[in-house]
Amino acid sequence: MPCLLVLALFLWGGNRKILRIACTSSIVKSAKHTRRHGHITAESVTAPLGCIHAAFIFVMTMYTQLYNRLSFGWNTVKIDMSAARRDPLPIIPFGLAAFAATLFALGLALGTTIAVGMLFFIQMKIILGNKTSIESWIEEKAKDRIQYYQLDEVFVFPYDMGSRWKNFKQVFTWSGVPEGDGLTWPVREGCHQYSLTIEQLKQKADKRIRSVRYRVIEDYSGACCPLNKGIKTFFTSPCTEEPRIRLQKGEFILATRGLRYWLYGDKILDDAFVEGVSRIRGWFPRNCVEKCPCDAETDQVPEGEKKNR
């Protein structure tokens, strides 16, 4: 149960979004370099090993008990679960109920081995790369930004020491306490503690520059899979926890990224709209909006569309 709880917490926490740019690096790195991170990884190793051992015992128990209850005929094989064909009789009775319980326990052992084993591989991938899933996403967007603008620069992830062994030693130490004090950590040569934060600020600025202004031409209720917006829109609804926003005809939207049949953006509440104040953002169907021909940003495209050109 503790292993399954750890897995559930990991899967739940892995999809959470970090909202504050300046503290993203600290929050993410703190989550990775907690004092218990090494213990959680060690538990994700020992738990599958213990379950494999238990599964072996269950299999051998069922095999032994069934073997002692088998009787072979010319064309039939019978199993008598009432008693074993053995003298002396087994000390522990093994009837049909015990067989069903052992089979159920075997299923639990195998399931835990697979689930917690997957957790172990995910944890080791994070540790060896010194990079969480959120940080991998930031790095991918950094490379995408550089390629989009054809910039003469290279983004170097600051917390990857360039060696898996060095990254491994940052988490697993003789004292059991990972390197770092919760605010600062060793960084790669040529980088500093705010390299990742600066890159995120560049991405946010680039996101605002490439936003496209749209006008709502059709009402949208905010349903996750709308039936009245087309069959393709229904089946291509984004599989994400991000919300959908309700649209009314005549409103304006700043789209920042999109898919073929869906867009993601911020609703412009009034002419004095300031980013960060009463923001309403989410996904909405593409066929509910149209580009504003008079907007100066119409030459730009949402971030998700450039790869389809």
Side-chain angles (χ1 to χ4, degrees):
M1 288 301 295
C3 302
L4 297 178
L5 179 60
V6 170
L7 177 61
L9 292 175
F10 176 82
L11 295 177
W12 178 84
N15 295 325
R16 303 296 297 173
K17 293 183 180 295
I18 298 189
L19 304 178
R20 299 297 181 184
I21 295 300
C23 65
T24 297
S25 300
S26 297
I27 295 176
V28 173
K29 303 303 287 186
S30 295
K32 177 168 60 176
H33 288 286
T34 57
R35 293 177 180 269
R36 297 185 178 274
H37 189 81
H39 300 289
I40 293 175
T41 306
E43 181 181 0
S44 64
V45 177
T46 56
L49 292 178
C51 290
I52 292 174
H53 179 249
F56 177 78
I57 296 176
F58 293 148
V59 170
M60 295 305 298
T61 300
M62 289 189 296
Y63 171 78
T64 303
Q65 296 294 334
L66 289 177
Y67 179 81
N68 291 328
R69 288 167 169 79
L70 288 173
S71 59
F72 297 91
W74 286 102
N75 296 319
T76 60
V77 177
K78 296 182 180 180
I79 302 177
D80 184 8
M81 296 300 296
S82 60
R85 297 185 298 102
R86 189 172 76 181
D87 190 22
L89 295 176
I91 299 176
I92 301 177
F94 193 85
L96 184 61
F99 176 80
T102 304
L103 187 62
F104 178 72
L106 176 62
L108 291 181
L110 295 178
T112 303
T113 301
I114 296 174
V116 184
M118 292 176 58
L119 173 62
F120 169 72
F121 284 110
I122 294 173
Q123 292 287 338
M124 288 305 302
K125 181 180 179 181
I126 292 175
I127 292 173
L128 295 179
N130 217 6
K131 189 185 309 175
T132 64
S133 56
I134 296 179
E135 292 170 336
S136 299
W137 179 57
I138 296 171
E139 183 182 27
E140 182 180 350
K141 291 202 301 179
K143 295 178 180 179
D144 185 70
R145 179 183 63 84
I146 294 173
Q147 181 181 5
Y148 183 88
Y149 291 107
Q150 300 295 319
L151 301 177
D152 188 17
E153 63 179 82
V154 177
F155 174 74
V156 178
F157 187 72
Y159 301 108
D160 186 357
M161 307 307 294
S163 170
R164 291 187 175 185
W165 175 243
K166 293 181 180 179
N167 296 336
F168 182 85
K169 291 192 300 182
Q170 284 192 0
V171 177
F172 295 97
T173 60
W174 290 109
S175 62
V177 179
E179 295 184 13
D181 56 4
L183 296 176
T184 59
W185 300 269
V187 295
R188 196 166 183 170
E189 184 178 356
C191 303
H192 52 80
Q193 295 293 330
Y194 299 100
S195 296
L196 193 62
T197 301
I198 293 174
E199 173 58 33
Q200 289 181 270
L201 292 175
K202 291 180 180 180
Q203 293 178 12
K204 286 296 181 181
D206 175 58
K207 188 176 181 179
R208 288 191 294 268
I209 292 174
R210 286 194 275 174
S211 61
V212 182
R213 188 184 180 96
Y214 284 85
R215 184 171 63 88
V216 180
I217 60 174
E218 185 178 339
D219 293 345
Y220 168 56
S221 63
C224 181
C225 299
L227 293 173
N228 59 343
K229 302 302 179 183
I231 189 69
K232 293 183 178 179
T233 302
F234 176 81
F235 283 107
T236 59
S237 178
C239 297
T240 173
E241 293 181 352
E242 294 170 319
R244 276 62 169 171
I245 56 176
R246 185 188 302 270
L247 300 179
Q248 293 183 353
K249 188 175 181 180
E251 294 179 331
F252 291 92
I253 304 289
L254 280 179
T256 56
R257 52 191 168 99
L259 303 175
R260 187 173 183 180
Y261 298 101
W262 290 81
L263 291 173
Y264 183 91
D266 295 79
K267 182 183 294 188
I268 302 178
L269 301 179
D270 50 46
D271 295 336
F273 176 79
V274 178
E275 184 179 1
V277 179
S278 301
R279 296 182 63 179
I280 301 178
R281 55 182 177 176
W283 292 94
F284 53 91
R286 184 185 289 268
N287 54 13
C288 292
V289 296
E290 66 176 4
K291 285 186 179 180
C292 296
C294 59
D295 198 281
E297 298 173 335
T298 52
D299 293 334
Q300 304 291 338
V301 296
E303 185 177 347
E305 294 183 351
K306 61 181 181 298
K307 296 181 181 178
N308 298 329
R309 283 190 165 188

